[in-house]
């Protein structure tokens, strides 16, 4: 076997080794012996250099007309399109998701890049009348400065792209710190932006550990904003350490699907399978709780057991695979631990629950029933293919159960009754509610994010993403030729 390639950091337009002199490997979770490459273990000094480069590049980039910035993003979108197949297979090898989901991830990266390229010709502010004569009032957008972008592994192209393209089109410069589980996907994205013609220093990437590289970025005085997606505990420590900079946090979820007694059960079945076991349950929007009406519980359980039993585990590159591996050994052990917790709590295991006897970090698609909403398996984010069924008697109990967790990212209800659907939309405390569709499948021109311990009020995607990465300036232009005092000269 040939020696794996050694990939570098990207600082000030050049690919360089870390000053730490250390590297780490990225492997294939379906065959952990396959090393995809070695990557630089970045250190504080690397971050320092990257921030310096981003700061130096800021004046020119922020003054580049936004439509011109958009042209570079258009070229990046084109390169993503041309390389979609290769990028998707590498993604499947690096994090395990099945190939059509990897294609979806790259497609999402293309979509947001195209959307943000178009924003180069909008970046809209607004105008509004003044309370005084001969005075114009309007708003315009300003970039923030150097943005530190810290991303997870589960959407290794889409999530970095949401952040990077939005930050760039707004005129910011970027220091990107990807997850150490998916540094190859991150490197490919940076290579694409380099090829698209991004000037040096505008985008920098430092790979390495969260505690070291991540925290140095978070604490750095010259970083004006942090945008983070990842675990709630990491987000909480970032918030503590970031000081007075702008912080956007997108964190975990414990999303639920309500299946009412009038639901189209075949449709709901597809939604639960896709939401619960798609990406091996490793989506922030994964449906890890199914809140099912007692009248249809037994029937729906039988339908689920039958369908889950047919799901094929395997290497995500094989077309017959339905469910790939978990991202690493720790994730596999976490799912196994929660199965034990569930059994000890008195939940009934209907199917799955084991680490299968195969190479790789696989875990059987697992379904518990007779769960109460208070059980740990129904409260905590497992981030694996483990789903809990909770039975309810009416819509009040259903919305009470769905809201009983600390998170508030995604949610869904299956019902044919429009009144019930609207009640649910109003009552559910979550950033996203789907009606007669699963908890996953966001589109890039709509806002994405959560409430409660999932988010901090920011949203990504569409115009809300632009809001995260730009400052609003209010402008008053008085052409009356005299002093006009607001709130005083009101006659
Ligand atoms: P994680 O929090 O472990 O890591 C995310 C990133 O933070 C990585 O780059 C990591 O290196 C870095 N990091 C870790 N410790 C740090 C520290 N002390 N300071 C600064 N950076 C640090 O999360 P993960 O395991 O990569 O991702 C899974 C989590 O992400 C799940 O909780 C999932 O729900 C969440 N997620 C949320 C969304 C969303 O939009 N709400 C989307 C995807 C994933």
């Amino acid at each position: 076997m040939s020696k794996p390639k050694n990939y570098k950091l990207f600082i000030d337009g050049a690919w360089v080794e870390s000053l730490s002199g250390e590297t780490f490997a990225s492997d294939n979770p379906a065959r952990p012996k396959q090393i995809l490459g070695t990557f630089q273990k970045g250190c504080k000094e690397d971050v320092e250099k990257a921030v310096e480069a981003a700061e130096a590049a800021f004046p020119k980039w922020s003054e580049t007309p936004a439509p011109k910035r958009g042209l570079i993003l258009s070229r990046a979108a084109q390169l993503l399109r041309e390389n979609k197949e290769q990028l998707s297979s590498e993604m499947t090898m690096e994090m395990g998701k099945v190939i059509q989901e990897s294609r979806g991830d790259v497609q999402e990266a293309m979509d947001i890049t195209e959307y943000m390229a178009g924003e180069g010709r909008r970046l809209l502010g607004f105008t509004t009348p003044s309370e005084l004569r001969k005075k114009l009032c309007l708003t315009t957008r300003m970039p923030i400065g150097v943005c530190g972008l810290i991303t997870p592994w589960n959407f290794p192209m889409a999530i970095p792209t949401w952040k990077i393209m939005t930050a760039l089109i707004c005129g910011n410069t970027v220091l990107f710190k990807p997850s150490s589980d998916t540094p190859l996907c991150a490197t490919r994205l940076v290579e694409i932006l380099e090829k698209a013609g991004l000037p040096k220093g505008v985008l920098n990437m430092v790979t390495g550990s969260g505690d070291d590289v991540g925290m140095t970025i978070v604490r750095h005085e010259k970083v004006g904003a942090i945008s983070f997606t990842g675990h709630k505990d990491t987000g909480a420590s970032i918030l503590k350490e970031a000081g007075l900079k702008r912080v956007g946090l997108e964190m975990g979820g414990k999303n639920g699907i309500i299946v009412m007694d009038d639901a189209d059960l075949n449709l709901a079945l597809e939604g639960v399978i896709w939401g619960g076991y798609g990406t091996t349950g490793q989506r922030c929007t994964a449906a890890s709780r199914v809140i099912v009406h007692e009248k249809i519980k037994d029937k729906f359980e039988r339908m689920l057991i039958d369908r889950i039993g047919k799901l094929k585990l395997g290497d995500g590159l094989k077309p017959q695979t339905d469910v790939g591996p978990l991202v690493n050994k720790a994730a596999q052990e976490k799912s196994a631990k929660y199965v034990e917790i569930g059994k000890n709590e008195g939940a009934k295991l209907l199917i799955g629950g084991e680490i299968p006897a195969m190479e790789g970090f696989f875990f059987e698609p697992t379904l518990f029933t007779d769960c109460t909403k208070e059980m740990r398996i129904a409260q905590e984010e497992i981030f694996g293919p483990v789903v809990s069924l909770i039975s309810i008697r009416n819509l009040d109990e259903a919305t009470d159960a769905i809201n009983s967790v600390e998170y508030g990212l995604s949610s869904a209800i299956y019902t044919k009754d429009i009144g019930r659907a609207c009640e649910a939309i109003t009552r559910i405390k979550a950033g996203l509610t789907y009606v007669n569709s699963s908890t996953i499948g966001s589109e890039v021109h709509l806002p994405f994010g959560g409430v409660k311990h999932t988010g901090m009020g920011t949203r990504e995607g569409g115009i809300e993403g632009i809001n995260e990465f730009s400052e609003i300036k209010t402008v008053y232009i008085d052409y009356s030729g005299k002093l006009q005092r607001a709130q005083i000269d009101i006659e």
Side-chain angles (χ1 to χ4, degrees):
M1 203 186 280
S2 62
K3 204 171 164 231
K5 186 171 169 188
N6 184 29
Y7 292 89
K8 311 268 176 67
L9 308 176
F10 190 64
I11 299 179
D12 206 15
W15 293 94
V16 294
E17 288 189 351
S18 167
L19 295 169
S20 73
E22 291 179 58
T23 59
F24 65 97
S26 180
D27 62 12
N28 177 346
R31 350 172 156 259
K33 285 185 204 120
Q34 184 188 7
I35 303 297
L36 302 172
T38 56
F39 295 84
Q40 307 296 309
K41 211 178 207 178
C43 60
K44 289 192 174 65
E45 292 73 20
D46 300 320
V47 171
E48 208 51 59
K49 282 190 176 311
V51 173
E52 255 171 47
E55 217 199 356
F58 178 72
K60 199 161 170 205
W61 179 247
S62 58
E63 285 169 19
T64 301
K68 288 219 164 106
R69 298 197 292 256
L71 286 179
I72 296 178
L73 267 56
S74 290
R75 283 200 287 277
Q78 181 60 25
L79 288 165
L80 283 163
R81 183 173 296 108
E82 285 166 13
N83 293 286
K84 183 172 175 182
E85 233 9 74
Q86 187 218 328
L87 295 170
S88 307
S89 345
E90 281 185 345
M91 185 181 297
T92 289
M93 284 196 271
E94 190 168 46
M95 67 148 291
K97 66 177 146 192
V98 297
I99 187 69
Q100 59 269 32
E101 292 182 13
S102 295
R103 289 188 191 115
D105 196 309
V106 178
Q107 181 66 42
E108 194 172 327
M110 269 156 55
D111 292 347
I112 192 80
T113 304
E114 271 174 358
Y115 179 92
M116 289 302 162
E119 272 300 325
R121 291 192 178 270
R122 282 186 298 268
L123 287 181
L124 298 177
F126 65 87
T127 62
T128 190
S130 168
E131 61 186 44
L132 294 166
R133 289 171 201 278
K134 294 188 185 288
K135 195 174 168 191
L136 297 178
C137 303
L138 55 106
T139 65
T140 169
R141 289 182 187 274
M142 300 182 298
I144 299 163
V146 178
C147 295
L149 312 181
I150 302 177
T151 58
W153 50 267
N154 65 333
F155 282 86
M157 283 258 155
I159 292 180
T161 311
W162 282 11
K163 295 186 192 296
I164 292 173
M165 302 306 173
T166 316
L168 291 179
I169 201 65
C170 291
N172 303 288
T173 54
V174 167
L175 172 42
F176 167 40
K177 203 273 287 170
S179 164
S180 298
D181 280 306
T182 48
L184 181 59
C185 292
T187 302
R188 294 291 185 239
L189 184 58
V190 174
E191 285 170 355
I192 279 173
L193 276 157
E194 182 192 19
K195 259 197 208 148
L198 207 60
K200 73 178 187 135
V202 171
L203 170 67
N204 306 273
M205 178 185 71
V206 179
T207 47
S209 85
D211 287 342
D212 231 343
V213 175
M215 245 327 142
T216 308
I217 299 172
V218 167
R219 293 191 181 122
H220 205 292
E221 278 183 2
K222 290 183 174 162
V223 172
I226 295 291
S227 178
F228 163 82
T229 298
H231 195 273
K232 139 186 101 69
D233 296 343
T234 318
S237 57
I238 286 176
L239 194 61
K240 242 196 227 157
E241 297 295 326
L244 293 178
K245 45 179 80 68
R246 282 169 73 125
V247 180
L249 302 176
E250 300 292 338
M251 299 170 287
K254 188 73 187 176
N255 314 291
I257 294 181
I258 297 172
V259 185
M260 295 304 289
D261 50 341
D262 65 340
D264 175 337
L265 288 191
N266 289 316
L267 191 64
L269 177 68
E270 294 308 318
V272 171
I273 296 293
W274 177 224
Y277 305 106
T279 323
T280 324
Q282 301 171 110
R283 287 182 182 233
C284 50
T285 50
S288 50
R289 297 181 298 152
V290 179
I291 295 153
V292 59
H293 197 286
E294 62 177 8
K295 279 193 198 151
I296 45 126
K297 174 178 174 265
D298 292 348
K299 182 175 180 196
F300 199 52
E301 276 177 9
R302 284 195 300 277
M303 289 167 78
L304 278 166
I305 292 168
D306 179 55
R307 211 32 227 293
I308 294 166
K310 291 183 182 138
L311 291 174
K312 285 199 184 61
L313 261 69
D315 185 333
L317 284 179
K318 295 197 174 136
Q320 68 271 27
T321 298
D322 296 308
V323 180
L326 288 159
V327 70
N328 54 33
K329 189 152 185 56
Q332 188 189 42
E333 286 167 354
K334 188 174 179 190
S335 283
K337 182 185 93 177
Y338 272 97
V339 167
E340 286 316 303
I341 291 172
K343 286 181 191 163
N344 292 335
E345 286 179 311
K348 184 172 157 199
L349 182 64
L350 287 178
I351 188 165
E354 298 288 333
I355 293 177
M358 56 201 281
E359 190 200 357
F361 305 125
F362 292 93
F363 199 82
E364 289 177 354
T366 299
L367 182 66
F368 276 107
T369 192
D370 297 342
C371 303
T372 66
K373 63 182 192 303
E374 292 82 16
M375 285 179 181
R376 283 184 67 192
I377 51 166
Q379 285 284 326
E380 297 172 19
E381 188 183 47
I382 301 171
F383 228 53
V386 181
V387 175
S388 303
L389 279 181
I390 300 166
S391 148
I392 45 89
R393 288 172 295 185
N394 51 47
L395 189 65
D396 287 346
E397 286 187 7
T399 51
D400 184 42
I402 210 164
N403 286 336
S404 69
V405 293
E406 65 174 315
Y407 299 104
L409 183 52
S410 191
S411 56
I413 179 164
Y414 283 85
T415 177
K416 288 183 189 137
D417 181 333
I418 185 73
R420 274 176 163 177
C422 291
E423 280 291 347
I425 292 168
T426 313
R427 291 187 207 165
I428 294 174
K429 295 184 174 64
L432 306 156
T433 297
Y434 292 83
V435 177
N436 291 328
S437 172
S438 192
T439 48
I440 59 189
S442 59
E443 299 183 30
V444 302
H445 54 299
L446 284 128
F448 180 88
V451 302
K452 303 203 282 184
H453 290 172
T454 296
M456 289 284 298
T458 49
R459 292 286 184 276
E460 295 190 317
I463 189 68
E464 291 293 335
I466 296 289
N467 288 336
E468 182 182 354
F469 287 102
S470 58
E471 296 279 11
I472 301 285
K473 173 170 287 183
T474 306
V475 181
Y476 297 102
I477 304 171
D478 190 322
Y479 58 100
S480 69
K482 59 181 184 191
L483 174 67
Q484 297 201 88
R485 296 167 299 178
Q487 291 91 39
I488 295 172
D489 300 327
I490 50 177
E491 292 307 319

